[in-house]
Every structure is written in structure tokens, then in C-alpha cells.
Amino acid sequence: MPLRRRHLLAAVPALALPRAGWAQDAFPNRTVSIVVPFPPGGGTDVLARLLGQHFQEAWRQSVVIENRGGAAGRIGLQQVQRAQPDGHTLMVTSTGGIMALAGAGGTRPFAVRDELTPITLVTAPAYVIAVNPSLGVRDVAGLIALAKARPGALAFGSSGTGAASHLAAELFASMAGIEMLHVPYRGTGPALNDLIGGRIQLMFAPPQTVAAAVQAGGVLNLAVTAERRTDLLPGLPTAAESGLPGYSAVGWFGLFGPKGMSQALTERISADAARGLNTADTRTRMAPLGAEPEPMTPDDFTRFVDADIAKWQRVVRERGITLE
């Protein structure tokens, strides 16, 4: 088809083809932006760049990463919400980013499709329950017994009030029937320093952040917080099997677009993302983050997000947590 004719079709899609079909056929016809609503260098940023590299190769179109940090992720989120739902503006964000969108207390049921188009889960890495060895416990059952014997005496650190690491510990305390003191930090690094120094007794932390301390003997991992053991830490039991049945907490990362993307376009981008995630190279590059690829269909991802946010909103209400 001559180039001028192609431009004419692009200019008047309503006269040529149904809107959804045109959008899919034309995608991508310009640079694609993947918004990361957090500063560069974090896990969300790294995962977005992995996806962006794959998309650029698969689509033969430029893909840029836009870091739009600020306001607990709301600045980047609002940019995506205002964008056209044509696939050229996407977003990789985390549990905390969607929690900020949903609202802490959950006064109304949250449905992510009312705000965004869920495309696929990228990964849902487990935390580890890490303790100072001087605590004298070697498993989750021992930790719970000690906490019950010393109500409120054990202090746990997190990367901030309302962070997934904080909520994972609050869910643990609620299910175990124990009380612990929460000490929020500005990031996991300062919290880890105090854990090693004995100023706090435990953390629910990404495994890669405590790996060096574990190897040096300054920290002991008791369990992983996912439903199943992870291949990245094959010898470590789950919290559920080692003292707290039914417990599960993960901090996930996912790919979203603006609300109103067509089903065909959403499914296409989801399938392209899955192809990029399900490679040996991607698995190798994600391992240092303590993460494994876990792509989902858009429908499955939607159900996953809605259920997970409802769970954390319930924890916030029941534990009386005031988010920052």
C-alpha cells in the first residue's frame, strides 16, 4: 500500500476500520513509554527495563522508560490514567503503588479495571522472615512462641509505614495472635543495619537485601512468606509449613495500561510480555532481585490484583494502621 494511503487510514480510523481493530493493527506506530512511578534503580525500575528491552526487540519500535517518582507513586500513576488507551503508554508498578490508588481503609470494594487496564503480572517475589541470631529462635514456631511470651517486646523493621514489608509483618502478627513493635525506616538498608546491630529483632525483607548478612552470619533466615518454596532458596521452608498455616504474603510487580484499552490490544501486549518473561535470560537476570517470572493473562491478573488489594485493605482496617 502506498505510504500516503497508509497515512490517510491512520488519520481517519473511524471511516476505515472498527476502532479496536485499527488500534491493534497500528500498534505500535510510535515510541512506547513505560512509566515507572518511582525513582530509578529500584526493583520496579529494573523490571520495567527488562520488559522494555524485550518489547523494543519484539515490536521493532523505540521503548523508553520514564521515571515519574513522587507522592507515593501517584504522579506517575496519574500520567498513565490521563494517557490514550492505545498501548503507547504503559506502566510497571508494585503492590504499594496500587494500594495508594485503592485507598488504605477500603471503605468501598476496589476494582482495578475502574482505574487502569491490568495487562500481566511480572513477578510476585516472596519475602524472608529474617531475625538476629541472638534471638535464639530457629523456626517460625519458635518465633511465635517467643513473641507470645514477651508481648510487644519484639521489634520489627520495615521500609516504611504501609510498605508491603510492613503489611506482611502485620498480617503475620494478626494470624499468629501476637503483638510486635513496628519500627519504620526510610528503606531496607537502614533497617538491616539495625537488625544486624540488634536494635530490632526481625524483618520481613526481600531475600536479596539480606543475602550478604545471612552469608556473614549476622542474620538468620527462618522462612519464606510465599505459599510455596522458591527455587532461589530451595532449603528454606515456608512460614505456613514451619509454624503459621495459611500464611502467605508477597510483594508483586505488574504491567498496566490506561483504563479502556481494547481486549485485543491488551491480550496482545500480555502475550508479548509473557514471551519475554519466559526465557532463560530473563530468569537469570531476575534472580538477583529474588524474583522469578510469573506472567498471567489479563483476566487472571485482574482477579489477582483485586483479591490482593482487598486482603491488604482488610489488614489495614483490622490492625488500625494509619498510612503515611
Side-chain angles (χ1 to χ4, degrees), residues 195-254:
L195 177 62
I196 295 170
R199 288 175 286 277
I200 59 174
Q201 286 71 54
L202 68 153
M203 284 176 62
F204 286 62
Q208 75 278 8
T209 64
V210 299
V214 170
Q215 188 172 8
V219 170
L220 175 67
N221 284 339
L222 299 184
V224 294
T225 61
E227 292 181 355
R228 300 181 300 276
R229 296 190 184 200
T230 170
D231 292 340
L232 300 175
L233 296 166
L236 204 59
T238 67
E241 68 182 294
S242 58
L244 191 56
Y247 176 80
S248 174
V250 295
W252 51 263
F253 302 84

Side-chain angles (χ1 to χ4, degrees), residues 13-26:
L15 300 178
L17 291 169
R19 174 71 180 175
W22 172 83
Q24 185 185 19
D25 291 343

